[in-house]
């Protein structure tokens, strides 16, 4: 169960309050319910085992779908008031860049989204996949499997897609291909006709999708309606099962995704998580997916950091002599610097599910 800061009792020596910053509006709002449920499950399981540092963990949900400065102001205000002890969440890189300088030196900040890489702010720890880990091998395998060589990058117009697009140019050359065009589309775009005509005119045979949430759903439908799925494959680093369900089976042909977790992942750890999630929230609950499940990982990493250091003081990145690790739905994981090491996968959409093709 989550709480608001105003609802919490004044004496909270036995409570550890975590701001869960997740999108509750905008194109990424589709991920919010799965993020919240996954974090809630992690909190309940931690509390059943004694909490963090013998303190009961509670969530304070903050809407990370607002404007980045507004999100940063709200979370920084909670930290300044002593109303939260840590911050965990999936949200855009624009929000992270606004928030990290305000809080990371004061409380631990666990950022769980796949992102462009390069975050080094002290006190920020990252559980998500990065471009270098994920995109280069995925583009190479997809080129080998499909013969794709002429890439067109289509991204939402903010920091993550723009930085990733620059990285993708180098990766395409390493795959003996090239990026023939780049399109950056405003968030909440409804009309994709101009983008479809530009992709067709450019002669691309592969599209790197760096679109956020509902924007990716609308793009997929427009892409198929234009018949481009018959000549182009699509690769996404942010496509989970919730987006696939919203896209629909007809618009999923030729769609590939890469991530550190899929609900179809058949490992003992992932199967156990799926079972516990369904048992707790029901089989009609939002699919956890890689983005929602990342918030489960974020809470577990916060617990592992606290247990290793014996406190919630803002920790430095672990040195080479330190091992901070835990086991979760993605398996046995450990920190290297301030990033979590994990296995990554390439999957192909098969109607309304993902078929995992390879480990990267």
């Amino acid at each position: 169960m989550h709480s608001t800061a105003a609802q919490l009792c004044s004496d909270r020596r036995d409570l550890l309050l975590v701001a869960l910053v997740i999108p509750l509006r905008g194109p990424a709002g589709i991920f919010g319910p799965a993020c919240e449920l996954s974090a809630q499950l992690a909190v309940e399981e931690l509390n059943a085992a004694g909490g963090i540092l013998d303190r009961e963990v509670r969530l304070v949900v903050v809407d990370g779908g607002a404007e980045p400065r507004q999100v940063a102001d709200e979370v920084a205000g909670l930290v300044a008031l002593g109303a939260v002890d840590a911050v965990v969440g999936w949200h855009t890189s624009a929000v992270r860049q606004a928030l990290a300088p305000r809080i990371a030196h004061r409380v631990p900040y666990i950022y769980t989204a796949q992102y462009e890489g390069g975050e080094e702010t002290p006190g920020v720890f990252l559980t998500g996949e990065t471009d270098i880990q994920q995109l280069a091998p995925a583009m190479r395998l997809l080129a080998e499997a499909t013969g794709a060589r002429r890439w067109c990058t289509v991204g939402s117009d903010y920091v993550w897609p723009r930085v990733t697009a620059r990285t993708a140019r180098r990766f395409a050359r390493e795959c003996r291909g090239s990026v023939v065009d780049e399109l950056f589309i405003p968030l909440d775009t409804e009309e994709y006709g101009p983008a479809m005509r530009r992709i067709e005119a450019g002669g691309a045979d592969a599209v790197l999708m760096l679109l956020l949430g509902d924007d990716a759903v609308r793009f997929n439908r427009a892409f198929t309606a234009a018949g481009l799925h018959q000549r182009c494959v699509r690769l996404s680093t942010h496509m989970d099962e919730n987006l696939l369900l919203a896209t629909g089976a007809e618009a999923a042909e030729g769609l590939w995704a890469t991530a550190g977790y899929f609900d179809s992942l058949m490992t003992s750890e992932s199967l156990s998580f799926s079972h516990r999630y369904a048992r707790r929230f029901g089989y009609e609950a939002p699919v956890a997916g890689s983005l929602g499940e990342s918030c489960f990982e974020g809470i577990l990493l916060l617990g592992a950091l606290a247990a290793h250091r014996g406190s919630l003081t803002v920790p430095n990145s672990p040195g080479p002599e330190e091992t901070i690790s835990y086991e979760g739905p993605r398996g046995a994981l450990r920190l290297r610097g301030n990033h979590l090491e994990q296995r990554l996968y390439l999957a192909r959409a098969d109607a309304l599910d993902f078929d995992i093709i390879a480990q990267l």
Side-chain angles (χ1 to χ4, degrees):
M1 179 177 181
H2 69 264
S3 307
T4 65
Q7 292 172 326
L8 297 167
C9 59
S10 58
D11 182 3
R12 58 180 203 82
R13 288 172 296 179
D14 295 329
L15 293 180
L16 192 150
L17 305 183
V18 178
L20 180 68
V21 186
I22 55 175
L24 303 179
R25 70 177 96 172
I30 190 172
F31 305 126
C35 289
E36 184 171 356
L37 292 182
S38 296
Q40 181 180 336
L41 180 61
V43 164
E44 291 176 358
E45 293 183 350
L46 275 176
N47 286 338
I52 293 178
L53 302 176
D54 296 322
R55 295 164 66 183
E56 178 187 348
V57 182
R58 294 191 190 176
L59 298 175
V60 179
V61 177
V62 175
D63 181 7
E67 289 297 316
R69 183 176 296 180
Q70 180 181 339
V71 179
D73 287 345
E74 181 174 356
V75 178
L78 291 172
V79 172
L81 290 170
V84 296
D85 303 293
V87 176
V88 173
W90 189 100
H91 39 269
T92 68
S93 287
V95 170
R96 187 195 78 252
Q97 289 186 341
L99 181 56
R102 304 278 301 275
I103 65 152
H105 60 292
R106 305 174 72 180
V107 297
Y109 175 19
I110 315 295
Y111 182 64
T112 73
Q114 184 273 334
Y115 85 115
E116 66 279 1
E119 177 61 72
E120 296 180 351
T121 305
V124 179
F125 295 86
L126 304 108
T127 71
E129 308 89 339
T130 64
D131 288 342
I132 291 176
Q133 296 171 321
Q134 180 183 34
L135 193 53
M139 290 176 71
R140 183 179 64 252
L141 284 177
L142 193 57
E144 292 172 354
T146 67
R149 292 289 183 269
R150 295 172 56 83
W151 292 85
C152 176
T153 298
V154 182
S156 298
D157 194 4
Y158 73 100
V159 58
W160 159 61
R162 285 192 172 273
V163 174
T164 299
R166 293 198 297 268
T167 307
R169 294 174 210 160
R170 184 176 83 250
F171 294 163
R173 290 193 297 270
E174 293 173 358
C175 299
R176 295 183 297 173
S178 63
V179 174
V180 298
D181 200 0
E182 294 176 354
L183 293 75
F184 297 100
I185 299 171
L187 293 169
D188 280 325
T189 290
E190 297 281 347
E191 173 54 50
Y192 285 90
M196 298 305 131
R197 291 190 289 274
R198 187 161 156 182
I199 293 169
E200 184 171 15
D205 54 21
V207 172
L208 174 59
M209 285 177 52
L210 304 175
L211 295 164
L212 190 65
D214 288 330
D215 290 350
V217 172
R218 289 189 285 266
F219 177 86
N220 282 331
R221 293 174 178 173
F223 193 88
T224 301
L228 288 173
H229 64 295
Q230 297 174 351
R231 54 174 280 188
C232 290
V233 294
R234 284 160 287 166
L235 173 64
S236 173
T237 59
H238 259 56
M239 179 65 58
D240 76 346
E241 286 82 357
N242 291 292
L243 292 186
L244 188 59
L245 288 168
T247 290
E250 291 184 358
E253 183 180 347
L255 177 61
W256 296 69
T258 173
Y261 178 86
F262 290 95
D263 273 18
S264 54
L265 185 60
M266 292 296 172
T267 65
S268 58
E269 299 94 343
S270 64
L271 290 170
S272 175
F273 170 76
S274 297
H275 174 72
R276 301 192 321 268
Y277 183 92
R279 184 177 59 192
R280 173 64 180 85
F281 302 116
Y283 287 93
E284 295 186 0
V287 178
S290 62
L291 286 76
E293 187 275 338
S294 75
C295 290
F296 188 97
E297 302 286 345
I299 297 294
L300 291 192
L301 178 58
L302 178 65
L305 284 167
H308 181 80
R309 301 289 173 82
S311 75
L312 270 178
T313 56
V314 177
N316 296 320
S317 299
E321 74 285 354
E322 291 185 279
T323 299
I324 299 178
S325 60
Y326 69 88
E327 292 190 10
R330 303 187 186 206
L333 306 177
R334 71 184 292 269
L335 276 179
R336 181 178 294 275
N338 65 338
H339 285 77
L340 205 62
E341 292 186 325
Q342 59 186 296
R343 297 182 296 247
L344 300 174
Y345 305 93
L346 178 66
R348 180 176 55 206
D350 181 9
L352 298 179
D353 205 353
F354 283 109
D355 181 15
I356 296 175
I357 302 300
Q359 180 176 329
L360 301 179

